[in-house]
Amino acid sequence: ALAHLNLSCNVICAQGAARLAGLLGECKALAHFDLSTNQIGAEGAGVLAGVLPECKVLAHFDLSNNDIGAMGVGLLAGVLGQCQALAHLDLGGNRIGDQGAEVLAGVLRECTVLTHLDLSCNGISAEGAGGLAGGLGECQALAHLNLGDNAIGAVGAGRLARVLGECRALAHLDLSDNEVGAEGARTLAAVLGDCRVLAHLNLINNDLGPEGVGWLAKVLGDCKMLAQLQLGGNMILDHGARRLARVLGPCNRALTHLDLSYNMLGPKGMGRLARVLGGSPLVHLDFCGNEIGAEGAGKLAEVLVDCEVLAHLDLSDNEIGAEGVGLLAGVLGQCTALTYLDLSSNRIGPEGAGRLAEVLGECTALAHLHVSSNRLGAEGAGRLAGVLGECKALTCLVLHRNHIGEEGAERLGTLLGRCRSLTRLDVSSNDISGDGASRLARVLAGLLGEQFRMVTQ
């Protein structure tokens, strides 16, 4: 009665796939089959195709990262229409190219219950996206489409856009790392309003710029179900932040996750966005790598108290310094839902660590604290460690690359033992010798028990 079989990340190859195929037809209850990352190639895909129609209840099939190529997809395509229960198909990372995408498109209309299709990392260009579009419009049940990390460009985005409005069930669309640019954003924006149930849109690393974000901003208000928006790595700058700010506040009351990392917003862009974040339903907010500085941190601090359900805040790599941490510290204690805080790579130093330490005891829900690469030194690490016993919910502390040294390791070993909830400590790349690590481990092991995990390499 085997229903779930996971053989991922092995070296089964084509020969092993052939041996498995001889048994699969007898597994009448098999509903979930994962053969990802097994080097089965086109030959292995072919032998599996021969028995797939016998797997009458197979609903989840993962062949990602197997180098099956266009030929392998062609062999599978011949039988996919006979897999009447197939709802989840993952063919990511298989170098199927444009030819494979077009072959697959020809059978998608026969996959009547397919809800999840992953074709990421497959070298699909605008031509393949166009061919694929012809079949996607027939997939009335399709809810999740991942075409991330291909090369569809603006032209391919335009070809996909022609049919996306017909995918009435589409809730998750991933077009990250595809170089769609501002023009591609314009063509997508024209149909996004027709995707009535779209809840997750990922356009990370697409060189949208301020213009592309402007096109998207015009229709985001029509995406009433949009809960997760990922626009990281698009160089939207202050101008793009201004356009986005106009619609984020009043129009997107369903939005809970917002990723605007690595967009060079600067303090001015941060200020524009901060003004509309107060009172929002945001749970997850990522402003990593935006050069907001202390000024931008201060503008965000002014509204954090009003973000009543914010649980995850990433401000790493923003050069906020000790001054910026001080401004944030003034309100962090009032962020009662905050469970994850990342302030890594901000040059806060011992002074910033001290300011943060003053309020950590008030962060009653905080479970994950990341302050890597901040030049804390032994002094800064000691200041933080001294108050962590008051952080009753803290389970993970990351102090990677902070020049803590022997003295800092000894302080940590003495003070962190009071933090009974801590299960993971990362003090890697901190110039701690064997003696320092031994002293640290000895104290912690005695106080924290076997569930504790320490990273020192």
Side-chain angles (χ1 to χ4, degrees), residues 42-222:
E43 182 182 351
V47 294
L48 288 172
V51 298
L52 281 181
E54 300 175 36
C55 301
K56 302 296 185 183
V57 296
L58 185 65
H60 183 124
F61 188 32
D62 189 343
L63 274 184
S64 58
N65 302 317
N66 269 299
D67 198 23
I68 67 174
M71 181 181 295
V73 165
L75 295 169
L76 288 170
V79 299
L80 285 179
Q82 301 173 53
C83 301
Q84 296 302 311
L86 190 63
H88 182 124
L89 178 61
D90 191 340
L91 296 175
N94 271 301
R95 298 196 291 185
I96 70 172
D98 294 338
Q99 182 181 353
E102 291 178 14
V103 169
L104 189 60
V107 298
L108 283 180
R109 62 175 57 89
E110 300 173 27
C111 301
T112 55
V113 298
L114 188 68
T115 61
H116 184 121
L117 178 62
D118 190 334
L119 295 176
S120 58
C121 307
N122 266 305
I124 299 171
S125 72
E127 182 180 352
L132 190 61
L136 288 176
E138 304 289 335
C139 296
Q140 295 303 307
L142 190 66
H144 183 122
L145 176 61
N146 186 350
L147 287 171
D149 202 7
N150 281 292
I152 67 174
V155 175
R159 292 174 179 173
L160 284 171
R162 295 171 190 165
V163 299
L164 285 180
E166 300 172 22
C167 300
R168 302 299 184 188
L170 190 64
H172 181 120
L173 177 61
D174 188 340
L175 291 177
S176 58
D177 296 282
N178 266 295
E179 303 175 2
V180 305
E183 178 59 22
R186 183 186 68 80
T187 55
L188 287 171
V191 299
L192 284 180
D194 296 326
C195 300
R196 299 298 183 186
V197 297
L198 187 67
H200 186 148
L201 177 61
N202 185 349
L203 289 174
I204 287 175
N205 297 331
N206 268 299
D207 197 23
L208 303 182
E211 182 184 353
V213 166
W215 286 114
L216 291 172
K218 291 181 178 180
V219 298
L220 285 179
D222 297 326

